[in-house]
Amino acid sequence: MEKLFDIFARSYALSPEKDPEFFSYIGDLYCTEEIQSMRQYPQHSDANRLDHIRAVTYMSYILSKRFSLDIKAASRGAMLHDLCYYDWHDADFSHRPHGFRHPAFAAFNARLLDENLTKKEERIIRRHMWPLTPLPPSSREGFIVTFSDKYCASMEMKLTKNKKYQEKFNNKLSFFNNTMNKG
């Protein structure tokens, strides 16, 4: 199985042209103005929210596929898990409890964006911050998204602070970009 770090790095080299199977699950969402607007919001260290969402979604897709789970629900839940239209780093007091409150905001925004959002996808979004939030994921796909979110967030922060990981990440990204451009 591909290493988690490789999956994380590969997520930064994705495109609909190079990865049609992945984008077949989330392309309709990914191409929306709402999702693309996530690029303007910082997320963890140097990563913007769109980078983070894409990484979590790709990791959830790969792991769900590997374990023969509901790939569509995991991918779409992951794509929408942080759909909040504000910068939680701002000094605005209403953003301070972000870790506890944003899953409900994201679920509300996801429902507006995708009228066909399933109950399973909504539960994935609402419960992805466990154990910060009281209810644990209610499906294996939910656990995959929750794990992927924590892993990608930790890697995003580690890349900013650790030159060794920056170099490793940049080498992997170059490899994936070169490999994908040839194929």
Side-chain angles (χ1 to χ4, degrees):
M1 185 169 149
E2 190 174 24
K3 293 179 182 177
L4 291 176
F5 186 81
D6 291 355
I7 296 168
F8 173 74
R10 185 184 297 269
S11 73
Y12 280 74
L14 298 172
S15 74
E17 302 78 32
K18 298 174 193 172
D19 306 282
E21 182 184 344
F22 170 65
F23 281 93
S24 73
Y25 292 102
I26 52 91
D28 62 319
L29 297 172
Y30 187 77
C31 294
T32 64
E33 187 177 315
E34 291 84 353
I35 295 293
Q36 290 300 309
S37 76
M38 296 295 104
R39 182 177 280 120
Q40 71 182 303
Y41 301 111
Q43 189 68 359
H44 305 113
S45 299
D46 292 339
N48 66 53
R49 193 164 305 151
L50 181 60
D51 291 338
H52 172 72
I53 288 171
R54 189 179 51 245
V56 171
T57 302
Y58 188 64
M59 183 164 288
S60 298
Y61 160 78
I62 292 293
L63 294 175
S64 294
K65 194 172 173 179
R66 167 71 173 93
F67 295 113
S68 301
L69 301 177
D70 184 344
I71 299 167
K72 182 178 180 181
S75 298
R76 294 178 75 80
M79 179 56 56
L80 299 166
H81 83 280
D82 277 344
L83 189 60
C84 299
Y85 306 112
Y86 61 87
D87 179 358
W88 60 271
H89 302 87
D90 286 346
D92 183 334
F93 180 75
S94 68
H95 300 167
R96 288 303 87 193
H98 170 78
F100 299 96
R101 297 177 59 200
H102 84 272
F105 298 151
F108 178 82
N109 292 333
R111 176 75 53 209
L112 294 176
L113 182 60
D114 182 5
E115 62 188 30
N116 297 315
L117 188 73
T118 68
K119 295 266 187 217
K120 186 179 205 176
E121 293 163 354
E122 185 171 348
R123 280 192 304 271
I124 288 170
I125 297 163
R126 287 186 177 278
R127 296 175 179 208
H128 81 272
M129 283 303 291
W130 181 77
L132 257 185
T133 53
L135 295 175
S138 59
S139 65
R140 291 176 291 177
E141 295 81 4
F143 274 102
I144 293 278
V145 173
T146 298
F147 166 78
S148 297
D149 183 43
K150 307 308 181 257
Y151 180 83
C152 291
S154 68
M155 292 313 305
E156 290 157 5
M157 291 184 281
K158 196 171 197 172
L159 284 173
T160 302
K161 309 223 182 298
N162 188 311
K163 296 286 186 203
K164 176 183 155 197
Y165 276 93
Q166 287 174 6
E167 187 176 317
K168 182 178 176 183
F169 175 80
N170 289 332
N171 289 338
K172 287 287 183 185
L173 185 56
S174 292
F175 170 78
F176 290 132
N177 279 326
N178 291 335
T179 304
M180 295 169 131
N181 288 334
K182 292 175 185 172

